[in-house]
Amino acid sequence: MERSIRSCDVPEATIQRLPLYLEKLKLLQAIGVEDVSSRQLAESLDIKASQLRHDFHYFGGFSRPGRPYRVAVLVTALEQIIGVDHPVPTAIVGAGHLGQALANYAGLELQGFPLRGIFDANPKLQGLEIRGQAIRDLDELEPVCRREGIKIGVITVPASSAQDVATRLVSAGVTGLMNFAPTELKVPDHVSVRHERLTVGFMALSFKVKCGEARLAGEEPDAAV
Amino acid sequence: MERSIRSCDVPEATIQRLPLYLEKLKLLQAIGVEDVSSRQLAESLDIKASQLRHDFHYFGGFSRPGRPYRVAVLVTALEQIIGVDHPVPTAIVGAGHLGQALANYAGLELQGFPLRGIFDANPKLQGLEIRGQAIRDLDELEPVCRREGIKIGVITVPASSAQDVATRLVSAGVTGLMNFAPTELKVPDHVSVRHERLTVGFMALSFKVKCGEARLAGEEPDAAV
DNA sequence: TAGATTGTTAATCGATTAACAATC
DNA sequence: TAGATTGTTAATCGATTAACAATC
């Protein structure tokens, strides 16, 4: 289909906004809103309407000039573009605190990422059930991933074993990795990795807090020369 | 001090990279590396050396022309710039799965964000200890935050109570919010918010996975007209 | 029609990269 | 000195915003 081809050379900044559009539109849909203009939608997301239209323009044909967007049409189109029009089978490797917290998060399944496997090397955790999924031994990683057609692997193991887990997931056909371990991963070109850096987020926040304090303390931006 | 004033009008993109620099430099320091050139450091982070120097240039004076950077000097300077040269007292509100997982994460304290309070409205959780901190009733939020001088509040409550928690944290003197609830927060100008959107990350990853599949299937970028 | 809206291109803005003088 | 390095400015690149014709 034409859209799935063209839609792939899209700026990173636009890709990041697509889920925000979808999230907001689903909210509107839930409260019965049928039509929405680029101005309304953009305002509720704190961006410019022209940016939203520019983003949509990469995919094209969501409405016609003069007519506002239909919420249902946008939701369907964005789900298809993002790839959550069909469920995306997901597995979690590492059932420590964070892995268990993610497994317990109902939002993931609701947004299109059903959990189809949880794995941990620790025998004490194996068999424990989370939301209907028993924690499995790491030995079962490859066969289960293949059988369930896992597309996205969530890595919540310690940094020391993250690369090994990544390699095994990729060898079992997984093409998307959500990496929560504080280490870089080497993967083949056809695999996408997203590195979630928790402490980086805290530090970026800390920087802004510190700047806010400096400003409150009455220090003028041009006071220093 | 001069640096703390000038350093605040810095592009968002640069702010996001500062923690990555610090992280890598601490790693180098741990294995005994004393000097590092912009080229070496940049290569290990997959960015251009000129970008790194350009970033550093906002703060200025980390080395002198001709001399490589001293790891220890950079670590100290970046810690100060980011604001983690002194501990940043942090509290978690919402001791569900995610809140507990974050409370258990030792990395936070190591990176300069010691946990000084955990709160939850659920009486069944109250008193449970995590890493030496007892989960407290929500009633204690304001007094504890004031007493401990909490600077950063981590919001891991359901979306429905996130705004209320945010308002209370701000009223108790907290100026940085790490929001894990899937909802926007309204806060005064002097407060910084960072919204961690988990499902947004999954969807951005899904988009790339889908594009990778399309490419693998042999579809040419220009095949569609 | 008049007012509002989208799709689309052009203008602006900001971030990244290259270049190079000064220095070691 | 020759080679390597930083600090700093200029050039390039890409993303955001504005503008407006076409449409309803």
Side-chain angles (χ1 to χ4, degrees):
Chain A
M1 186 197 185
E2 177 181 339
R3 173 174 294 157
S4 67
I5 300 171
R6 296 293 301 160
S7 70
C8 287
D9 89 29
V10 166
E12 186 65 28
T14 295
I15 297 176
Q16 301 277 345
R17 280 188 295 267
L18 296 179
L20 302 180
Y21 298 145
L22 179 55
E23 190 177 70
K24 184 64 73 174
L25 285 161
K26 282 166 111 175
L27 225 64
L28 292 175
Q29 199 174 39
I31 59 174
V33 176
E34 293 192 343
D35 296 320
V36 68
S37 71
S38 61
R39 198 165 68 79
Q40 292 171 311
L41 189 51
E43 248 172 34
S44 73
L45 288 163
D46 245 313
I47 61 171
K48 291 276 188 298
S50 55
Q51 174 164 81
L52 184 148
R53 292 202 301 278
H54 199 278
D55 282 343
F56 284 2
H57 184 234
Y58 285 101
F59 311 99
F62 289 160
S63 182
R64 262 171 294 168
R67 300 293 310 146
Y69 298 110
R70 307 234 67 195
V71 174
V73 170
L74 278 186
V75 167
T76 305
L78 284 172
E79 282 182 342
Q80 199 194 329
I81 289 167
I82 292 171
V84 289
D85 50 335
H86 300 293
V88 180
T90 300
I92 294 176
V93 189
H97 295 292
L98 182 57
Q100 288 195 30
L102 292 173
N104 273 293
Y105 179 41
L108 269 189
E109 169 129 28
L110 286 173
Q111 305 291 326
F113 302 93
L115 186 62
R116 295 276 183 267
I118 317 175
F119 304 89
D120 201 288
N122 183 351
K124 285 181 187 161
L125 290 172
Q126 289 160 19
L128 179 68
E129 279 209 3
I130 302 179
R131 295 174 63 81
Q133 286 281 331
I135 298 177
R136 291 192 166 94
D137 189 83
L138 219 52
D139 289 345
E140 300 184 60
L141 187 66
E142 289 88 345
V144 171
C145 284
R146 283 188 207 284
R147 168 155 41 88
E148 299 287 338
I150 301 294
K151 286 195 176 172
I152 289 184
V154 183
I155 299 179
T156 46
V157 297
S160 54
S161 40
Q163 179 62 62
D164 180 51
V165 164
T167 307
R168 289 180 61 181
L169 282 166
V170 169
S171 80
V174 173
T175 50
L177 297 177
M178 199 73 169
N179 180 28
F180 286 89
T183 184
E184 302 290 327
L185 297 177
K186 286 200 175 62
V187 297
D189 274 353
H190 72 282
V191 177
S192 303
V193 179
R194 198 179 155 100
H195 197 167
E196 294 287 324
R197 294 168 225 251
L198 215 50
T199 57
V200 167
F202 273 85
M203 288 195 185
L205 184 59
S206 170
F207 177 87
K208 289 185 189 164
V209 166
K210 197 185 57 89
C211 288
E213 281 169 9
R215 203 165 306 126
L216 266 194
E219 297 173 14
E220 289 296 319
D222 289 327
V225 177
Chain B
M1 185 196 187
E2 176 181 340
R3 175 174 292 159
S4 68
I5 300 172
R6 299 290 304 157
S7 70
C8 286
D9 91 28
V10 166
E12 186 66 29
T14 295
I15 297 176
Q16 300 279 345
R17 281 188 293 266
L18 296 179
L20 303 181
Y21 297 145
L22 179 55
E23 191 178 68
K24 182 67 73 176
L25 285 160
K26 282 166 111 176
L27 225 63
L28 291 175
Q29 199 173 39
I31 59 173
V33 176
E34 294 192 342
D35 296 319
V36 67
S37 70
S38 61
R39 198 165 68 80
Q40 291 170 311
L41 188 52
E43 248 171 34
S44 75
L45 288 163
D46 244 315
I47 61 171
K48 290 277 189 293
S50 55
Q51 173 161 83
L52 184 148
R53 292 202 302 275
H54 200 279
D55 282 342
F56 284 2
H57 183 235
Y58 285 100
F59 310 99
F62 290 160
S63 183
R64 263 172 292 168
R67 300 292 311 147
Y69 298 111
R70 306 232 71 195
V71 173
V73 170
L74 278 185
V75 167
T76 305
L78 284 171
E79 281 181 340
Q80 200 194 329
I81 290 167
I82 292 171
V84 288
D85 50 335
H86 299 293
V88 179
T90 301
I92 294 177
V93 189
H97 296 291
L98 183 57
Q100 289 195 29
L102 291 173
N104 273 293
Y105 179 41
L108 270 189
E109 169 130 29
L110 286 174
Q111 304 292 324
F113 303 93
L115 187 61
R116 295 276 183 266
I118 318 176
F119 305 89
D120 200 289
N122 183 351
K124 286 182 187 161
L125 291 172
Q126 288 160 17
L128 179 66
E129 279 209 4
I130 301 179
R131 295 175 62 81
Q133 287 280 330
I135 299 177
R136 290 191 165 96
D137 189 84
L138 219 50
D139 289 346
E140 301 184 59
L141 186 67
E142 288 89 344
V144 171
C145 283
R146 282 188 208 285
R147 166 156 40 90
E148 298 288 339
I150 300 292
K151 288 197 173 171
I152 290 185
V154 183
I155 299 179
T156 45
V157 297
S160 53
S161 40
Q163 178 64 61
D164 180 52
V165 164
T167 306
R168 290 180 61 183
L169 282 166
V170 169
S171 81
V174 172
T175 51
L177 297 176
M178 199 72 169
N179 179 28
F180 286 89
T183 185
E184 301 291 326
L185 297 177
K186 285 199 175 64
V187 297
D189 274 353
H190 72 280
V191 177
S192 303
V193 178
R194 197 178 156 102
H195 196 167
E196 294 287 324
R197 293 170 227 251
L198 215 51
T199 57
V200 167
F202 273 85
M203 287 195 187
L205 184 60
S206 170
F207 177 87
K208 290 184 189 163
V209 166
K210 197 184 60 85
C211 288
E213 282 169 7
R215 204 165 305 125
L216 266 195
E219 296 172 14
E220 288 297 319
D222 289 326
V225 178

